[in-house]
Amino acid sequence: MLSLAFVPALAQTPAATAAAAAATAAPKRQLAALRIAQPIKLDGVLDEAAWREALPATDFIQNRPKPGPHEKHPTEVRMLYDDAAIYVGAVMHDVAADSIPRELTARDNTGNSDFIGIFLDTYHDQLNGYAFIVTSSGV
């Protein structure tokens, strides 16, 4: 999340503008992917030792319905990779699994469902990339 203070353009030099933006920007977060030598089983169960060894990303920020608040229930995301693939494993804790929204919708629409996604900026241009999203209904 980036938060900028707006000041009249005549009062700022380019260096002052860059410094102000850097001072108000949220810290950049990174997730290190763990390289694995043995393949993992793609079954939705994160029981291989590699998943336990990978450092988790936590403390996520809500995007919908209102962006900004920290997660209500803990989420842990881990990444692995090998010569053939990138593996993303996520555990999203909830106190009442039967109340998680699971609306089944048409393609490319999440509807009223919990979902998680990964966005890959493979051209490193912050414009073109790939999104992989899965909803709580398994779509």
Side-chain angles (χ1 to χ4, degrees):
M1 176 171 52
L2 181 63
S3 151
L4 296 174
F6 291 97
V7 179
L10 295 175
Q12 292 185 314
T13 65
T17 303
T24 59
K28 195 173 205 177
R29 296 181 59 182
Q30 295 183 351
L31 172 60
L34 177 67
R35 182 169 180 73
I36 57 173
Q38 299 296 320
I40 61 168
K41 187 174 180 183
L42 300 179
D43 58 2
V45 180
L46 309 179
D47 58 356
E48 288 89 355
W51 291 117
R52 289 186 297 278
E53 293 172 21
L55 294 175
T58 59
D59 194 29
F60 286 89
I61 304 295
Q62 176 178 294
N63 187 339
R64 287 184 9 193
K66 183 179 178 185
H70 286 269
E71 62 191 0
K72 288 182 183 176
H73 307 293
T75 298
E76 300 169 359
V77 177
R78 292 174 169 84
M79 290 185 70
L80 309 173
Y81 73 99
D82 60 20
D83 290 338
I86 298 171
Y87 307 93
V88 179
V91 176
M92 293 151 289
H93 300 276
D94 201 302
V95 294
D98 61 343
S99 65
I100 298 171
R102 291 180 175 86
E103 181 181 6
L104 188 59
T105 62
R107 180 179 172 229
D108 297 335
N109 187 354
T110 57
N112 185 26
S113 297
D114 278 358
F115 65 91
I116 189 165
I118 179 170
F119 299 84
L120 302 175
D121 183 11
T122 57
Y123 292 102
H124 196 58
D125 62 2
Q126 299 180 4
L127 180 64
N128 299 292
Y130 300 93
F132 300 92
I133 298 170
V134 65
T135 69
S136 53
S137 59
V139 177

